Amino acid sequence: HKIAEYESTEGYETLLSRALLSFEKTSERREDFGGFFSTWKRLFSGKLFSEDGIWFTARLISGNVGQLTLCVFLISFFVNLQRSDFFQNELSKVAESEKWRLMAPLRYGLAVSEITIIIITLNYVPSTTRTVLLFRSGGIPSLHDARFWKLRVAVDQASLLFGTLFWGSLYTAILIG
């Protein structure tokens, strides 16, 4: 505990030193932190912010909004494609009894794509929460890890994740649907 015993110039313990000592004393105590549903429940109740102190960046929120916008775009694209003159002309060339063979895979692909994007979108918040909690508890090594200096240099690479929120969802929708 000597490392955490910082004193101010007046000889009183600082807030940081008390927090570090308190954390050290309770570090053996473990608390299970739900998962997918528990994280969303704590988010909507406000406990994720007030009790756990987890705040989400604007990148994460705008990335999730971008993914949901992609869902709406794919639906509107499919509806407009289905109503287009070109599609209707090509569909009229197909026998009436065979039209379902064209429409069923298109509708099934759209449904699976939408479900996949929604699942990906809903999993980002619990995944981010888990990563923050692992980092805080030492599950992800930081300052005392030998790789810290390597990771410290590439901090800007976190901005690459923002593009993957949108483009990853789009490519997944295309490949799955």
Side-chain angles (χ1 to χ4, degrees), residues 2 9 14 18 23 29 42 63 66 123-125 133 162:
K2 290 290 184 193
T9 57
T14 63
R18 283 184 291 196
F23 177 75
R29 217 174 51 201
R42 291 181 73 80
N123 277 312
Y124 269 110
V125 169
L133 291 174
F162 181 68

Side-chain angles (χ1 to χ4, degrees), residues 61-79 109-121 124 162-175:
I61 295 168
S62 59
N64 277 345
V65 169
Q67 289 173 316
L68 295 175
T69 303
L70 179 64
C71 284
V72 172
F73 171 75
L74 286 176
I75 291 172
S76 65
F77 177 77
F78 179 75
V79 169
L110 177 69
V112 170
S113 296
E114 292 292 317
I115 290 168
T116 303
I117 292 173
I118 290 170
I119 288 171
I120 290 171
T121 303
Y124 269 110
F162 181 68
T164 63
L165 290 171
F166 179 80
W167 294 110
S169 296
L170 179 63
Y171 292 146
T172 300
I174 290 170
L175 291 174

